[in-house]
Amino acid sequence: MAKTEQNELNLAPILDQSVIIGQAAAELKLRADNARSAIGLLDGGATVPFIARYRKEVTGDMDEEQIRQLEKRVAYGRQLIERKIEVWNTIQEQGKLTKDLAAAIQKATALQEVEDLYLPYRPKRRTRATIAKEKGLEPLADLMQAQKVYRGTPAELAARFVDTAKGVNNAEEALAGARDIIAERVSEDAEIRREVRQLMQRQGQMSAGLAKGGKEKDAGGKYQQYYEYSEPLAKIPPHRRLALNRGEKEGVLSVGIELAPGIAERSAEARYLIDTRSIFQAELKTAIADSLKRLLLPSVENEVRAKLTEEAELHAITVFAANLRQLLLQPPIEGKVVLGIDPGIRTGCKIAVVDATGKPLANLTIYPHEPKRDWAGSKKILLDLISRYKAEVIAIGNGTASRETETLVAETIAAAKDPKPAYVIVSEAGASVYSASDIARQEFPDLEASQRGNISIARRLQDPLAELVKIDPKSIGVGLYQHDVDQKALAESLDAVVESCVNYVGVDLNTASSALLKYVSGINKKVAGAIVAHREKNGPFKSRAELRKVAGMGEKTFEQAAGFLKISGSSNPLDNTFIHPESYPATQKLLAVITENEGKTPAKLPPTSLIKEFRSKAIGDERKLNQIAAQIGVGGPTLRDIMDNLEKPGRDPREELPKPLLRQDILKLEDLAPNMVLKGTVRNVIDFGVFVDIGVKQDGLVHITEMSERYVKHPLELVGVGDVIDVRVLSVDAKRGRIALSMKPG
């Protein structure tokens, strides 16, 4: 292509980011102007929680999930733009950018399409095709592919290209080289790759069998169901894709994708065999078959499997994130003295008693189990601790020896004087990680690592969110295949969940740890540490305005963070709400309207009944609501939020959730019988069901088919981690320790 013609090609359509935002908005069914505003705020450094809570007017009241999805789609679109420019420039530098190719690059809507278009121009190692080109056989390949020769034989035409000096010793070698060139062209044809990829996705079969030496590596028979396995690609659920990948990685399975014979060949031949009269028909068929077997199908199979894995990993991460959110938002048991137990066998059970604020009162070890079994002595110590500190709840970690320790606790409670404490099993996932962390060492410098986990277990019951944020989210085991997925993507997703939960609940500025503060909108680890340091040096914060005195707290950080930081004892009652300081003047005007008194914000908010009465009148009349909003200078969504917070100042949204299931006695596996109905706590949600703690040694499984009379696509539609549910016993396999449960009525 001439240089002048190449210069006429225009990059401008590729660079137009408004198109990307418009497409993302359309996919998510959002208004384009709202999407542009949200992206503008994100680009300006605003956080998702801040935008979702405090910029509802400009985003059209988008929630966090919509904003995060928009952010992801626009980020992908921008990545696509960058890659298009790179490919465009590279091909143009080669002098090979045609108008058709430029148009195809502009039109591409996925990175895979761009890579397909770039493939023929990508620098590559020496291949059979490049060697054939070096031997001067490309004109013969062009002749064969043009299919304009109808007389003679392929060998007669190929004889013209015999050149022993170049290593082409006879006509057959010339034809073989030309076929190699055509085979590579077929494999790099963007249209063929797209068609074969679609064929594989729609009609491919995933098959698996034992790899060489695989049975020896699978001593427990974990992958036995895949020794002779085949399933349509389109029907394989995400968890099965990841199981196959893991089996392959461990050297147990050999996994591949199969297409019915002839399907891919027919697609390629339809595009390349354009004239049946040509003498090169057989040569072209051979080249196409070779291309598919040697180049195209293996390459596309890798792409399809990579895509399937990516989708399965995304699904696993989504489930993990949903479970983590449920776990973090478990309602706190406040104002209770808690006795926490970190169960163990050889090393004993570590005991901690913490007061209602989480301050440790006692820390010791008992040995109720072998090899140092002292059951009676351990029970006596527990009874003494319960009596001395008036412990109201006992939290038992769910790790090794958890159920054996539960038996000890149940016996202890039975022997305790009234009022008897109750107990609950709590997740101890990540407790050992916390025990050895810098955070734990800073909190308890005088304690050994083994003496910190029990404190964490006790505190998890008092405030799960405040305690669990101290642990790497990946160490909180509420997922499936979390070690098999993309760890960077997992970390990003889980961090977003923690950020969302912390800002959803809000943070007490005068009690929050730096580990909790760093997840507040706009605050990083350094600023979180500065807030704690300021608090330790100057005493409790008396107002949100004092935050401006903290080192590193600029106006932008204050704007992003202030609304999520609460002060219960502030002279301004609005400091203990989610009302942002920027809305204080508007709130003052609203309070004047409600109380019919002009003046400053009162030291005490009006009675809830007065606010409720005003709210019911205003919310029920859209016209009046808009009038009030205009009068005080805010939008309708912000006015609603202000009234919500005036009605429930200091509200913790977790308070409205059911409390954890507390027990005083214990069941044994032998006590269970079919059709017995029990209350249980959901411990984990996975693709094929939920694991439920019903108070015996082993969690029971409610298979997805036993969750409801109606069809359930995924268990998360019905339950989440920590939910207390009624279940019915279906069967008990005591030998294998398996309990089958149902949520359906008997």
Side-chain angles (χ1 to χ4, degrees):
M1 183 178 185
K3 239 180 183 177
T4 52
E5 188 179 348
Q6 286 203 59
N7 291 336
E8 290 172 5
L9 299 176
N10 190 0
L11 260 173
I14 291 178
L15 299 172
D16 187 1
Q17 293 203 18
S18 64
V19 175
I20 297 293
I21 297 173
Q23 288 172 343
E27 289 171 13
L28 296 169
K29 296 180 172 59
L30 303 171
R31 283 174 53 120
D33 56 341
N34 293 146
R36 281 193 293 272
S37 297
I39 292 299
L41 288 165
L42 288 166
D43 288 344
T47 68
V48 172
F50 174 82
I51 296 168
R53 190 182 287 273
Y54 297 116
R55 293 296 180 262
K56 292 179 178 179
E57 280 82 7
V58 296
T59 67
D61 206 4
M62 287 185 206
D63 60 30
E64 281 193 29
E65 182 59 26
Q66 288 173 312
I67 297 169
R68 291 191 194 279
Q69 288 299 320
L70 176 65
E71 184 179 30
K72 285 179 183 176
R73 279 171 167 77
V74 171
Y76 179 85
R78 288 172 172 173
Q79 184 186 358
L80 180 63
I81 287 173
E82 288 178 9
R83 187 57 180 151
K84 283 183 176 183
I85 293 168
E86 289 172 2
V87 167
W88 178 292
N89 289 336
T90 301
I91 299 174
Q92 194 169 48
E93 285 168 8
Q94 295 175 10
K96 298 177 181 178
L97 186 65
T98 65
K99 284 185 177 179
D100 288 344
L101 182 54
I105 294 172
Q106 288 172 350
K107 187 180 175 183
T109 58
L111 284 167
Q112 186 63 67
E113 292 179 56
V114 177
E115 297 306 325
D116 284 350
L117 292 167
Y118 179 48
L119 189 58
Y121 310 96
R122 182 192 296 276
K124 55 174 74 75
R125 59 180 176 78
R126 290 183 83 229
T127 63
R128 282 164 48 172
T130 56
I131 293 168
K133 289 176 184 177
E134 290 167 4
K135 293 179 178 180
L137 296 174
E138 192 162 21
L140 176 58
D142 293 340
L143 194 64
M144 291 168 63
Q145 197 170 333
Q147 301 173 61
K148 298 296 184 184
V149 180
Y150 307 109
R151 294 179 181 175
T153 66
E156 289 172 353
L157 267 78
R160 304 176 195 171
F161 296 89
V162 172
D163 187 339
T164 55
K166 291 183 177 180
V168 184
N169 298 307
N170 52 54
E172 181 47 45
E173 286 185 9
L175 289 170
R179 289 196 300 267
D180 287 340
I181 294 171
I182 293 171
E184 188 167 274
R185 288 176 181 174
V186 171
S187 74
E188 293 179 347
D189 186 315
E191 185 64 25
I192 289 293
R193 293 185 75 86
R194 184 185 64 80
E195 288 181 11
V196 172
R197 191 180 295 117
Q198 289 177 347
L199 283 169
M200 198 171 283
Q201 289 167 338
R202 288 197 304 261
Q203 301 180 40
Q205 289 275 133
M206 180 76 86
S207 61
L210 270 171
K212 188 176 180 181
K215 199 162 189 176
E216 292 73 19
K217 295 176 183 176
D218 190 30
K222 185 166 62 171
Y223 300 103
Q224 192 168 358
Q225 70 186 96
Y226 301 116
Y227 288 178
E228 294 181 12
Y229 164 83
S230 181
E231 186 174 6
L233 212 59
K235 293 184 178 180
I236 304 175
H239 67 273
R240 200 135 65 228
R241 299 177 198 172
L242 295 177
L244 288 162
N245 286 353
R246 182 186 284 183
E248 185 178 43
K249 187 177 180 181
E250 292 177 5
V252 177
L253 301 176
S254 174
V255 183
I257 300 175
E258 297 174 351
L259 268 176
I263 293 178
E265 285 83 349
R266 284 194 291 274
S267 178
E269 287 177 3
R271 181 167 170 82
Y272 276 86
L273 300 183
I274 56 177
D275 192 337
T276 56
R277 298 170 299 164
S278 170
I279 64 170
F280 293 116
Q281 286 289 292
E283 295 294 330
L284 288 170
K285 283 188 176 183
T286 302
I288 290 169
D290 173 53
S291 176
L292 291 168
K293 182 179 179 181
R294 181 169 58 87
L295 302 172
L296 185 56
L297 286 174
S299 174
V300 171
E301 180 182 344
N302 287 338
E303 291 171 4
V304 169
R305 286 198 62 188
K307 183 67 174 174
L308 289 171
T309 297
E310 181 185 341
E311 291 171 353
E313 288 186 358
L314 177 60
H315 174 81
I317 290 170
T318 302
V319 172
F320 195 141
N323 286 342
L324 177 63
R325 184 177 184 85
Q326 290 288 128
L327 186 63
L328 292 176
L329 292 179
Q330 287 299 290
I333 295 183
E334 297 177 309
K336 305 283 187 186
V337 176
V338 178
L339 188 154
I341 305 178
D342 185 0
I345 299 177
R346 184 181 57 81
T347 57
C349 296
K350 307 297 186 296
I351 309 294
V353 181
V354 299
D355 70 10
T357 67
K359 178 184 174 183
L361 302 174
N363 199 313
L364 55 105
T365 304
I366 59 175
Y367 296 91
H369 313 303
E370 299 294 350
K372 299 181 182 180
R373 180 180 169 88
D374 182 6
W375 193 266
S378 298
K379 192 157 70 172
K380 185 174 182 300
I381 291 170
L382 288 178
L383 283 167
D384 179 59
L385 292 171
I386 292 167
S387 173
R388 189 190 316 171
Y389 297 108
K390 303 294 185 285
E392 299 162 90
V393 187
I394 299 172
I396 306 170
N398 66 343
T400 305
S402 169
R403 294 306 180 181
E404 293 84 350
T405 305
E406 184 182 6
T407 303
L408 171 71
V409 169
E411 287 187 17
T412 302
I413 291 171
K417 294 178 181 178
D418 290 330
K420 297 177 184 289
Y423 77 86
V424 61
I425 303 290
V426 301
S427 169
E428 66 174 49
S432 59
V433 175
Y434 162 77
S435 299
S437 68
D438 290 338
I439 294 173
R441 281 192 289 271
Q442 290 166 10
E443 283 192 289
F444 309 112
D446 299 328
L447 296 179
E448 296 179 4
S450 61
Q451 295 174 303
R452 298 170 185 148
N454 45 353
I455 298 173
S456 176
I457 286 169
R459 286 176 166 182
R460 289 181 190 197
L461 196 60
Q462 293 178 320
D463 192 338
L465 179 60
E467 197 61 29
L468 290 171
V469 292
K470 300 173 185 176
I471 302 163
D472 180 351
K474 290 185 290 184
S475 299
I476 303 172
V478 285
L480 190 67
Y481 296 106
Q482 59 260 39
H483 301 296
D484 297 84
V485 303
D486 183 312
Q487 294 301 294
K488 184 174 181 287
L490 176 64
E492 288 174 354
S493 177
L494 299 187
D495 279 343
V497 169
V498 179
E499 178 192 44
S500 174
C501 290
V502 169
N503 290 285
Y504 172 69
V505 171
V507 168
D508 187 325
L509 184 57
N510 285 324
T511 62
S513 66
S514 60
L516 187 61
L517 286 166
K518 74 177 184 181
Y519 284 106
V520 172
S521 169
I523 293 178
N524 57 29
K525 186 177 180 180
K526 186 177 179 181
V527 174
I531 291 172
V532 173
H534 186 279
R535 194 171 67 200
E536 290 172 349
K537 181 180 178 181
N538 302 288
F541 287 90
K542 296 180 180 62
S543 71
R544 279 173 169 167
E546 280 187 41
L547 274 168
R548 289 189 164 92
K549 298 177 182 178
V550 173
M553 181 66 70
E555 280 304 309
K556 184 70 177 179
T557 304
F558 179 84
E559 177 196 56
Q560 296 294 304
F564 301 100
L565 298 168
K566 298 180 182 180
I567 305 172
S568 57
S570 174
S571 58
N572 184 344
L574 300 183
D575 282 351
N576 194 33
T577 70
F578 278 116
I579 298 172
H580 197 283
E582 68 186 10
S583 295
Y584 282 6
T587 306
Q588 180 181 316
K589 292 177 184 177
L590 177 65
L591 287 168
V593 173
I594 293 173
T595 60
E596 298 180 349
N597 289 318
E598 295 294 336
K600 295 182 179 178
T601 304
K604 190 176 180 182
L605 295 177
T608 301
S609 58
L610 184 61
I611 296 171
K612 277 186 176 179
E613 182 184 352
F614 178 84
R615 176 190 175 89
S616 63
K617 292 177 181 177
I619 296 294
D621 185 340
E622 191 70 25
R623 185 180 170 190
K624 185 175 182 180
L625 179 75
N626 291 332
Q627 285 176 346
I628 296 168
Q631 182 180 345
I632 67 173
V634 296
T638 297
L639 174 58
R640 288 189 180 90
D641 285 348
I642 290 172
M643 286 195 285
D644 280 345
N645 280 274
L646 290 175
E647 191 176 320
K648 297 179 180 178
R651 169 181 172 265
D652 184 335
R654 297 173 297 175
E655 293 171 358
E656 299 169 7
L657 300 170
K659 298 292 183 185
L661 180 61
L662 301 177
R663 303 181 186 276
Q664 289 188 319
D665 55 5
I666 189 171
L667 280 170
K668 294 189 176 91
L669 201 65
E670 295 76 24
D671 296 332
L672 299 180
N675 291 318
M676 182 182 286
V677 176
L678 303 162
K679 280 200 177 297
T681 303
V682 176
R683 290 295 175 206
N684 201 3
V685 180
I686 52 178
D687 288 347
F688 53 83
V690 295
F691 286 101
V692 183
D693 172 9
I694 55 172
V696 298
K697 185 172 183 178
Q698 184 68 38
D699 288 347
L701 173 67
V702 181
H703 192 269
I704 191 169
T705 56
E706 288 294 332
M707 295 187 71
S708 174
E709 298 289 358
R710 67 175 178 82
Y711 171 73
V712 179
K713 188 174 182 180
H714 195 278
L716 284 170
E717 293 175 21
L718 299 182
V719 297
V721 170
D723 286 356
V724 176
I725 60 174
D726 291 319
V727 292
R728 181 168 51 87
V729 178
L730 292 178
S731 63
V732 180
D733 185 342
K735 186 177 179 182
R736 301 171 73 187
R738 292 185 177 179
I739 306 164
L741 304 172
S742 176
M743 290 167 58
K744 296 178 181 178

